[in-house]
Amino acid sequence: MERLPGFRDFYPEPLPHADTWSADARQFIFDKWRETAKHYNFREYDGPPLEPLELFTTKSGEEIVGQLYNFTDKGERAVSLRPEMTPTLARMVAAHERNYKKPIKWFALPQLFRYERQQKGRLREHFQFNADIIGETDPAADAELIALLIDTLRAFGLTEQDFVIRLSSRNAWQEFYRSKAQAELGEYDFYQIIDKLERTPLAESEKKLSSLGFSLTEVNAFIELGKPTIELQSILDNLAARGLKDFVKVDYRVIRGLAYYTGVVFEAFDAKGEFRAIAGGGRYDNLVKLISGGKVNLPALGFGMGDVVLLEILKARGLLPKFDANVDVFVLIEDETLRAPSLKLIQELRAAGFAVEYPLTPAKPDKQFKRAQELKAAFTAKVESESYVRIRNLKSRDEIVAGFADAANHLR
Amino acid sequence: MERLPGFRDFYPEPLPHADTWSADARQFIFDKWRETAKHYNFREYDGPPLEPLELFTTKSGEEIVGQLYNFTDKGERAVSLRPEMTPTLARMVAAHERNYKKPIKWFALPQLFRYERQQKGRLREHFQFNADIIGETDPAADAELIALLIDTLRAFGLTEQDFVIRLSSRNAWQEFYRSKAQAELGEYDFYQIIDKLERTPLAESEKKLSSLGFSLTEVNAFIELGKPTIELQSILDNLAARGLKDFVKVDYRVIRGLAYYTGVVFEAFDAKGEFRAIAGGGRYDNLVKLISGGKVNLPALGFGMGDVVLLEILKARGLLPKFDANVDVFVLIEDETLRAPSLKLIQELRAAGFAVEYPLTPAKPDKQFKRAQELKAAFTAKVESESYVRIRNLKSRDEIVAGFADAANHLR
């Protein structure tokens, strides 16, 4: 029986196949995400993987339904596996924001889902690090969030040689647009053209732009100039004070596709441009109000970083460690009459915090020792009587005989 | 907009409402589950939350569909949110078992789903600690798994005063059944009656048993006697050698509802009998063969422990810690001209591994200090010039002035 297309099985390493996924690498990534978030005093939250379909259409319009893993449940509810975390966050914050001091700094590590019929072989789920700041309009919040993004990538060993944050602003583009165009009508269409500029033939972009009254030349000149707005300059100065200015550059080609961004937007890319975006985010100051039906109005911003592109880059840069079983002690049982005291030792070592393995059933001594080596055990321990344990350091090959109660002290 | 019925939102503590769920408590439970599993050298795996419906009906029959969160996806596939992890594990092991030495010792922390129409207000999802041993028939494997179950509960501070493992055996009941009944026909019906004995009126059980040729008296006598089978005695001796015998007792009233158990079965209960079962499991020696369509034949056993009952018990016993923000250092910015060097300090302290918070925007000194106290920060740090930092231990109230580069050393 096969798993569903686009879903992943996560196996312990060593991996059975090149196309299977590593549960150990996933946990390594999750641990780094959590650790960095905590350094920044972001608190963890989570919501349901399944939400009312309306939660996602309210925010992004009906056209998003074509990409959703949505269905009608047994209670005749229109529901969807979550394609992103932001609407759930907005719903949760709107429901209980009064209990939390602003700014709210929260993160989550949700599994997200989508269903695109045409894209065979593409994943239909991934995990994402989501970090958001809610309740602060000052660009200091944007800087704090971008610093977290930078430090998250640095926590994996990536440097300014490996990635760059391309910083942009919907406000800058809005000003540009409104200075030329008559009405707000067509503004979002204009953003869509900018968003696709890098992956659209020039002639096509030129044609589309001119239908809105713009030339490709003036658009390119605006991008080329890349003059930071006041808010962007404030963010750049803030990041420079932290010593992070080499990780960020203004790049107005970034505008983000989603309709709901309202101000600063940014994306993290690998410096060589070999991979898809590593992360992306921005301000969505109107979303909490929209989701809460007007009841709660809070400015907000956030980013999402997926596990798939990140994993590709870490592999390419040789930054993924080897994941072993991490056995501290392998208890050898060569004399079956000593199995009972061996089990007692195993219990005591585990209670003392060691990862302990042993042969469940009688096995030849050389086979046991080989297994200890395969598991990269740091020590072997062999009960020699009810009172004594022989401990061997498998790296140094030092051996000592310790009293039973004293064994744990020789394993540090 | 509301979340779906039966699903949970997980908030950071302090919780907004008594009926919301704590993301911190969930993480506390997950951490303990992972930690104990690692002491026992169980490796983590995971599969998709969505599987082909057939994976679950193969194992448990079509009647299970009424309890599943199943639907037809956009590709016209009959699929289901996973109601349990064992079929996914069997599928994954069957696909790649040759790459792993036996016995395979794996664990997972899946979110599981069910949809029962009639049960209003009941949860439709929960998280479960699943641990399994695959490829070993010897009762030593059962003992190892039950020891893990016991030590997992002990890791939360629960003792032999709080819980007991009720150990039973399908084999014992099979022998009992076959010694009286003519054919295997009716055997599973008989198990169902035993499974429901504790929550069914006596007269009803009596009537059902007699239709299969048994009396309630002889069934009760068999339970009362509680004579361990050879395999159960072997498990009891093994656990006694580990010093764990007070945590387990033979109790033939436990038989487990699911059809696929083949040998030893067990459940963990709170000692006072106030809660539903904390965990349950047993041997399912035929399942890997069934799921793999006969290709792979491996004996197996496992248990599942849900987060909901566990959380109730930990609360009732006062064993849930308070979860604070765990801020190490709150950086006070009382002089805005020193914001840039303050940001530098914040960056350095975070890079050194500290959880650091600070006012994103200008704020009155007393308000900042109050916030530091609310966040239970261990220290405040205030940049006094480009060269000096004033550090205050909020517990001891000791203050020192340190050189900028030296500040981190005074925060341990």
Side-chain angles (χ1 to χ4, degrees), chain B residues 28-46:
Chain B
F28 169 76
I29 287 172
F30 285 8
D31 286 347
K32 291 275 182 219
W33 282 347
R34 280 206 172 89
E35 190 187 320
T36 316
K38 279 169 189 174
H39 291 163
Y40 275 74
N41 193 34
F42 279 67
R43 302 287 301 272
E44 189 160 2
Y45 73 97
D46 197 8

Side-chain angles (χ1 to χ4, degrees), chain A residues 11 92 101 144 358 374, chain B residues 11 92 101 144 358 374:
Chain A
Y11 282 86
M92 286 176 62
K101 282 263 165 78
E144 172 81 348
Y358 68 100
E374 282 167 2
Chain B
Y11 282 85
M92 287 177 61
K101 282 265 166 75
E144 172 81 348
Y358 67 99
E374 281 168 2

Side-chain angles (χ1 to χ4, degrees), chain A residues 1-5 7-17 20 23-24 26-27 34 38-41 43-52 54-55 58 65-75 77 79 81 91-93 95-96 99-101 103 105-106 111 113 115 117 124 127 133 136 138 140-141 144 151 154 238 241-242 244 291 323-325 327 340 343-344 347 350 353-358 360-361 370-371 374-375, chain B residues 1-5 7-17 20 23-24 26-27 34 38-41 43-52 54-55 58 65-75 77 79 81 91-93 95-96 99-101 103 105-106 111 113 115 117 124 133 136 138 140-141 144 151 154 238 241-242 244 291 323-325 327 340 343-344 347 350 353-358 360-361 370-371 374-375:
Chain A
M1 214 169 295
E2 296 283 315
R3 65 176 179 275
L4 292 171
F7 285 84
R8 294 176 288 173
D9 288 331
F10 293 89
Y11 282 86
E13 297 203 15
L15 291 178
H17 280 157
T20 56
D24 296 312
R26 187 182 74 167
Q27 197 54 36
R34 281 210 171 88
K38 279 170 191 176
H39 291 163
Y40 275 73
N41 192 32
R43 301 286 302 272
E44 188 161 2
Y45 73 97
D46 196 9
L50 199 68
E51 290 271 18
E54 193 196 4
L55 184 67
T58 296
V65 175
Q67 299 162 40
L68 296 183
Y69 219 123
N70 64 308
F71 60 96
T72 303
D73 80 4
K74 289 179 172 179
R77 294 175 201 89
V79 299
L81 288 165
R91 177 179 64 67
M92 286 176 62
V93 166
H96 291 296
N99 294 78
Y100 296 97
K101 282 263 165 78
K105 293 165 69 179
W106 284 2
Q111 189 172 19
F113 305 86
Y115 194 106
R117 270 170 211 260
R124 288 185 168 149
F127 291 90
I133 300 178
E136 181 54 64
D138 196 282
E144 172 81 348
D151 276 342
R154 293 170 84 196
N238 185 305
R242 299 174 198 238
L244 299 177
I291 296 281
F323 300 100
D324 296 315
V327 167
L343 287 170
K344 183 166 178 272
Q347 179 68 28
R350 284 172 171 170
F354 295 102
V356 182
E357 191 51 288
Y358 68 100
L360 278 179
T361 53
K370 200 176 148 225
R371 187 72 187 127
E374 282 167 2
L375 289 170
Chain B
M1 215 168 297
E2 296 284 317
R3 66 176 179 277
L4 293 170
F7 284 84
R8 293 176 289 173
D9 287 332
F10 292 90
Y11 282 85
E13 298 203 15
L15 291 178
H17 277 159
T20 57
D24 296 312
R26 187 182 74 165
Q27 198 55 34
R34 280 206 172 89
K38 279 169 189 174
H39 291 163
Y40 275 74
N41 193 34
R43 302 287 301 272
E44 189 160 2
Y45 73 97
D46 197 8
L50 199 67
E51 290 272 17
E54 194 195 3
L55 184 67
T58 296
V65 175
Q67 299 162 39
L68 295 183
Y69 219 124
N70 63 306
F71 60 96
T72 303
D73 81 2
K74 289 178 172 179
R77 293 174 203 90
V79 299
L81 289 165
R91 176 179 64 66
M92 287 177 61
V93 166
H96 292 298
N99 294 75
Y100 296 96
K101 282 265 166 75
K105 294 164 68 179
W106 285 2
Q111 190 172 18
F113 306 86
Y115 194 106
R117 271 171 209 258
R124 286 183 168 150
I133 300 178
E136 181 54 64
D138 196 282
E144 172 81 348
D151 276 342
R154 291 171 84 195
N238 185 306
R242 299 175 198 238
L244 299 177
I291 297 280
F323 300 100
D324 296 316
V327 167
L343 286 169
K344 183 165 176 275
Q347 180 69 28
R350 285 170 172 171
F354 295 102
V356 182
E357 192 50 289
Y358 67 99
L360 278 179
T361 54
K370 197 175 151 227
R371 187 74 187 124
E374 281 168 2
L375 289 170

Side-chain angles (χ1 to χ4, degrees), chain A residues 65-176:
Chain A
V65 175
Q67 299 162 40
L68 296 183
Y69 219 123
N70 64 308
F71 60 96
T72 303
D73 80 4
K74 289 179 172 179
E76 299 298 324
R77 294 175 201 89
V79 299
S80 179
L81 288 165
R82 59 188 172 198
E84 53 165 328
M85 199 61 189
T86 317
T88 296
L89 173 64
R91 177 179 64 67
M92 286 176 62
V93 166
H96 291 296
E97 59 94 10
R98 281 184 204 173
N99 294 78
Y100 296 97
K101 282 263 165 78
K102 314 297 173 302
I104 289 167
K105 293 165 69 179
W106 284 2
F107 78 98
L109 311 186
Q111 189 172 19
L112 305 176
F113 305 86
R114 63 179 169 198
Y115 194 106
E116 293 161 293
R117 270 170 211 260
Q118 68 283 11
Q119 313 245 22
K120 294 230 167 176
R122 261 187 85 175
L123 288 181
R124 288 185 168 149
E125 53 78 21
H126 72 145
F127 291 90
Q128 206 181 66
F129 175 36
N130 270 253
D132 294 80
I133 300 178
I134 294 173
E136 181 54 64
T137 53
D138 196 282
D142 306 62
E144 172 81 348
L145 191 75
I146 292 166
L148 169 60
L149 171 53
I150 293 168
D151 276 342
T152 301
L153 293 172
R154 293 170 84 196
F156 291 101
L158 295 165
T159 70
E160 63 266 47
Q161 309 299 317
D162 298 305
F163 73 94
V164 64
I165 311 296
R166 296 164 68 186
L167 189 62
S168 181
S169 166
R170 286 259 169 124
N171 298 339
W173 277 114
Q174 187 176 66
E175 210 172 296
F176 176 85

Side-chain angles (χ1 to χ4, degrees), chain A residues 297-312:
Chain A
N297 192 4
L298 285 169
L301 65 156
F303 72 76
M305 178 190 301
D307 68 329
V308 178
V309 175
L310 178 62
L311 198 59
E312 284 171 9

Side-chain angles (χ1 to χ4, degrees), chain B residues 243-258:
Chain B
L244 299 177
K245 79 173 165 53
D246 293 344
F247 290 94
V248 61
K249 66 172 184 190
V250 172
D251 188 337
Y252 284 142
R253 285 172 299 181
V254 169
I255 195 166
R256 308 283 294 156
L258 285 167

Side-chain angles (χ1 to χ4, degrees), chain A residues 331-368:
Chain A
V331 173
L332 305 165
I333 307 178
E334 299 180 0
D335 177 352
E336 283 297 324
T337 67
L338 293 172
R339 181 164 284 267
S342 299
L343 287 170
K344 183 166 178 272
L345 177 70
I346 290 159
Q347 179 68 28
E348 284 173 8
L349 296 180
R350 284 172 171 170
F354 295 102
V356 182
E357 191 51 288
Y358 68 100
L360 278 179
T361 53
K364 286 184 184 155
D366 59 338
K367 214 179 136 191
Q368 292 187 37

